[in-house]
Amino acid sequence: MRRTAAALVLFSATTLACGAVGPRSLRYGRGTYNAAIQQTNIEQLLLNLVRLRYRDAPLFLEVTSISSSLSLELGAGLGGTIAPPNSSVAPGSAVSYIERPTITYAPLQGSRFGTQFLSPVELSDILLLYHAGWAIDRIFRVFVQKLGPLQNAPRASGPTPHNAPEFEAFFAATELMRSLWADGLVDLTYLPSVAGNGLTLTLTRRGDDTDTRVARLCALLGLPGPTYKITLTEAPRPGEVGAVQLVPRSLLGGMYYVSHGVEVPPEDYAVGRVPTTRDDAGEVFDWARLTGTLMRVRHGAREPKNAYVSVYYRGLWFWIADNDLDSKSTFSFIAQVLELQSGEIKGTAPVLTLPIAAE
């Protein structure tokens, strides 16, 4: 009878464990790994933005694979006393499982780093981002450094320059684009060409106010007169009507650009850890004028409590506030471009397998 009871206990425990452990490990393990990858990815991105602000070399460590084996261990037995007339026997069981994860990392370097980070963003990718719902002014401010005669702080595409950047007229043009876009008067399409691919910016006329804004935009872009169809191309042909040169940034250039929104303590300026930028009058340039509505990374000696993402670097905490929606939007935008640029270069995407082995 004792053997039968033990066998029943073992059979019941095995059936219960094999039927529950596998699905439960998938339900909870997959979500846990997913959250861990997502959180460490955004922390790594923020860390590299801070590094760029300090002119430190960036490094991206990719998770190339995740595998996890699950071992199930079962035990059963009987316990009690056998002493007439009050004999008692009680069956018992024990179930335990051990997870053994294997995570593989690979640094992003060599030709892959050059292709992914140093190559200019393709105009087709700019179009994808536009149709993904990102505001046209955010796309252009981060990843376009020249639009016709307008300069968007081209030297900010690299380490912090010593001279103040030129950007005001570019911002005026992108603000006009945003106002037209917000009113539903902008359509952006791809224009393949043998001479050089481009984008067609088609504007819809709706009242005199539209005419005024379009005329101002065309004047800023250096066009001879108002037009409701503007061609944005990297290589405009001489004499091409309505064509404006567009020079895109690379992914690394866009990261350098927004990294100027990383605030650093005054003592780091004083000892030269971070370069000081000055205008023509010799006054210190405030980079918040450039990145104020794009990115703000704060710093402090203590770990922040209400941060969207935070990292510890050079003895300080750097973070993006959870209620800073502009910074969070730009940060998510950069993260999406990072994934977009790496789509055809990555090897094996993170894989999670959970084989169940009963012992």
Side-chain angles (χ1 to χ4, degrees), residues 53-134:
R53 186 70 174 93
Y54 278 89
R55 290 196 178 183
D56 296 338
L59 175 65
F60 281 87
L61 201 61
E62 292 183 312
V63 178
T64 59
S65 67
I66 300 176
S67 62
S68 181
S69 63
L70 194 64
S71 299
L72 183 66
E73 297 180 355
L74 305 174
L78 295 173
T81 59
I82 303 177
N86 297 318
S87 299
S88 63
V89 177
S93 64
V95 180
S96 62
Y97 67 91
I98 302 173
E99 185 179 9
R100 298 181 179 89
T102 302
I103 303 173
T104 305
Y105 301 97
L108 190 60
Q109 56 188 0
S111 60
R112 290 182 60 209
F113 181 86
T115 304
Q116 184 173 341
F117 283 89
L118 300 182
S119 300
V121 174
E122 298 286 344
L123 297 187
S124 57
D125 291 339
I126 290 178
L127 183 64
L128 284 176
L129 294 167
Y130 173 79
H131 286 294
W134 291 106

Side-chain angles (χ1 to χ4, degrees), residues 35 37-47 49 134 294-298 303-311 317-336:
I37 291 173
Q38 190 268 348
Q39 184 63 31
T40 53
N41 277 347
I42 63 174
E43 289 174 356
Q44 178 175 238
L45 178 54
L46 177 59
L47 175 60
L49 291 179
W134 291 106
L294 283 178
M295 178 70 70
R296 183 186 180 189
V297 179
R298 312 176 193 206
E303 183 176 5
K305 295 182 179 179
N306 298 312
Y308 163 64
V309 57
S310 62
V311 293
W317 283 96
F318 293 88
W319 72 89
I320 294 175
D322 197 31
N323 60 356
D324 185 353
L325 300 183
D326 284 333
S327 296
K328 288 172 66 175
S329 294
T330 301
F331 191 82
S332 297
F333 173 61
I334 293 287
Q336 283 191 15

